[in-house]
Amino acid sequence: MNNLSRLIVNGGVLSPGELKYICESAESLGLKTISFGSRQDILFPTLIDASRIKDFDKLHIIQPESHDGENIISSYVSTDIFPTTSWLTSDRYLYILEQFRQQPKLKVNISDPKQRLVPLFTGHINFIASEHEDYWYLYIRLPEWEKMIVYPALIYSWDIDKIVGAIEAILQEEPESIDMIFELVNDAISTNNRTIDKLLEVPFYPFPYYEGMNRIGVDKYWLGLYWRNNKYDLNFLKAMCDLCAEAKIGKISITPWKSFIIKGIPVKAKLQWEKFLGKNGINVRHSMLELNWHLPVANKEALKLKKYLVKNFDKNDISTYGLTFGITDHHRKAYYFTSIVIEKVQKPEALKEIGIKETYNLLYAKNFDPNTRKYISYVQNVDKTELPNLLMELSQMYFNDLGTKKEVDTSSKESKHTVKKEVYQCKECLTIYNHVYGDITQNIAPNTTFESLPDSYVCSLCEAPKTSFEKKVRTQ
């Protein structure tokens, strides 16, 4: 990864014309293929001469070891085809992405908690859609921080770019806490924040099947394409872009799993697309055993290990539906986003020249849900030959616990529903004041009762007076 040039594709969204231009630019550099990165960016498989890159002014290319910017990732790719928060449409993503005038230096995620294809918490700055239209939870983990911490207010859609810019601007202050970030951001910019009235809930969904031709509604299809070696042929991509233009398809979406998705293929064009794929010898029905892996880019050793493990799964007729696997050669728990992680053990410097066998650690996410951000060590320093059986054990554990965990979670929620709590709701805009959280936007501390609020208190959203709030009973 450190030796590859990266092409920024904000949100993982491209028009067919843009992708074709990228392919033509890559061809002029002597390339025959391109690859996709885990942050929905495009990677050139060889080091590119910096002097030649200057000829492509339409492309934002980041050279190896450069800190000129990070790709924004988004779950735009999931809209219309996987579970989605009702207000979070494709257009909404595009409007938000268009706000960004400067390329972020930090990793930014803009995602929907109801989908599973795009990770929620792998950025430094993570915006996650709330139930309130156009408002987002914000989870921050700056590069030097050890933990992810929630920002104490919901962020308005049209403030996202300003918030990112303000956070990056205060990095020189070396903020050590979320409260310090909140204060500095509010001093720097004016925002339309909203009080958090409930904690973020991320529902568990099995990892989806994202390849092949699949129906959307009654008159359209979406197509997911995946190359096992992550080397996408430029001639094929250019011809595909022409086919997209002919079918009036406006966007192509890159996934974090080294694949891409085309949405909106008309029913009448389905046969034409199937013939196109067949003539080019494209396989569009890999098994889930193939698709649910996240590998380091351009790492032949990791690809070889994956093939070995998948072959053993297939031989033993093992199901891994809903699970995801990652292979890594470095220790970086903060950015894992798969259910199970195969971590190559780093040899001490003094022993690297000695022919010692490679060994691996196995970790799995709590409840096998990477969105918990908690990983549990299963075994350490095991030989490659031991991995298939150990992974099968973990897979069996996942399926054994799946129903049980759901029942436990459901019963706990039902018990919460029997608890009634009093809150106060604004009659004008329906914003809730919950004393448990207070209202940090107006310096109201948590556990401050509504009766204790000053008479000057106003709604954090519409600024209606305190008298506009009425008592409500909520069940939790």
Side-chain angles (χ1 to χ4, degrees), residues 110-285:
I110 302 172
S111 53
D112 187 336
K114 292 190 176 180
Q115 56 79 42
R116 189 70 183 271
L117 191 62
V118 177
L120 305 183
F121 299 106
T122 55
H124 299 118
I125 304 175
N126 305 277
F127 296 95
I128 302 171
S130 77
E131 295 176 355
H132 301 292
E133 183 170 351
D134 271 326
Y135 279 90
W136 304 72
Y137 293 95
L138 171 55
Y139 282 77
I140 298 176
R141 179 174 183 154
L142 298 184
E144 67 277 9
W145 286 14
E146 292 186 1
K147 294 182 179 180
M148 187 85 65
I149 304 176
V150 62
Y151 193 78
L154 298 180
I155 305 300
Y156 187 47
S157 287
W158 316 122
D159 289 337
I160 286 179
D161 175 41
K162 290 196 299 181
I163 292 286
V164 172
I167 292 174
E168 291 191 337
I170 64 175
L171 288 181
Q172 59 185 356
E173 306 284 344
E174 296 184 355
E176 297 178 351
S177 69
I178 201 71
D179 291 336
M180 183 177 177
I181 289 179
F182 181 78
E183 292 174 7
L184 292 173
V185 167
N186 281 340
D187 287 344
I189 59 173
S190 174
T191 58
N192 191 16
N193 293 345
R194 179 171 182 157
T195 302
I196 296 177
D197 57 12
K198 62 181 296 188
L199 298 177
L200 171 66
E201 294 182 4
V202 181
F204 177 81
Y205 293 102
F207 186 71
Y209 189 89
Y210 59 84
E211 199 201 22
M213 191 78 75
N214 304 272
R215 186 180 285 275
I216 306 175
V218 296
D219 61 348
K220 286 185 171 60
Y221 286 84
W222 66 269
L223 172 66
L225 292 177
Y226 163 83
W227 264 245
R228 183 181 287 117
N229 62 4
N230 193 20
K231 293 182 179 179
Y232 290 82
D233 181 77
L234 295 177
N235 287 325
F236 170 80
L237 292 177
K238 288 192 300 178
M240 185 197 70
C241 290
D242 290 337
L243 201 56
C244 284
E246 185 180 330
K248 295 182 170 56
I249 294 168
K251 300 295 178 186
I252 296 170
S253 307
I254 302 171
T255 82
W257 300 85
K258 321 298 195 313
S259 60
F260 65 93
I261 286 175
I262 301 166
K263 296 180 280 188
I265 298 173
V267 168
K268 62 182 180 181
K270 180 174 182 284
L271 180 60
Q272 182 184 11
W273 276 82
E274 288 177 340
K275 289 176 66 175
F276 170 71
L277 296 173
K279 286 180 180 179
N280 284 276
I282 305 302
N283 175 20
V284 291
R285 282 297 170 191

Side-chain angles (χ1 to χ4, degrees), residues 13-59:
V13 187
L14 286 165
S15 71
E18 288 170 329
L19 180 55
K20 187 173 182 180
Y21 175 78
I22 290 167
C23 292
E24 291 170 345
S25 302
E27 274 185 330
S28 71
L29 294 170
L31 301 178
K32 293 184 179 180
T33 64
I34 56 175
S35 300
F36 297 133
S38 59
R39 290 199 62 81
Q40 298 174 304
D41 42 6
I42 290 176
L43 307 174
F44 294 147
T46 56
L47 186 61
I48 304 300
D49 183 350
S51 63
R52 299 187 66 186
I53 287 178
K54 294 177 182 177
D55 297 334
F56 306 101
D57 56 343
K58 293 182 182 179
L59 305 181

